[in-house]
Amino acid sequence: MQVATGTAVNGKIVLEDVALEEGAVVAVVTRGADERFSLSAAKEDELAEALAEIERGKFVTFEDLLRPLPGNG
């Protein structure tokens, strides 16, 4: 799992100093032009660990999250 930053150029994301395999699946989080997005090294590590947990199957599905709520049983 990698965390990378990049810039949109002609409708495509250009990553900074990261090489991906052809066909790699990525998630993109965007911010508004006037918003900053940065992580400390500790927060970046925390995010990477959370993503690794998801890859190991340690997550709650949306359906499981809703199930205990009234009207969703």
Side-chain angles (χ1 to χ4, degrees), residues 10-54:
N10 294 324
K12 297 182 184 195
I13 305 299
V14 177
L15 299 177
E16 300 169 5
D17 302 320
V18 175
L20 298 173
E21 293 181 22
E22 187 67 28
V25 176
V26 300
V28 177
V29 177
T30 64
R31 60 177 173 81
D34 60 346
E35 296 175 303
R36 293 188 65 218
F37 180 83
S38 63
L39 293 175
S40 66
K43 288 295 183 184
E44 191 172 317
D45 290 344
E46 187 178 328
L47 176 59
E49 177 54 32
L51 292 169
E53 286 180 5
I54 292 168

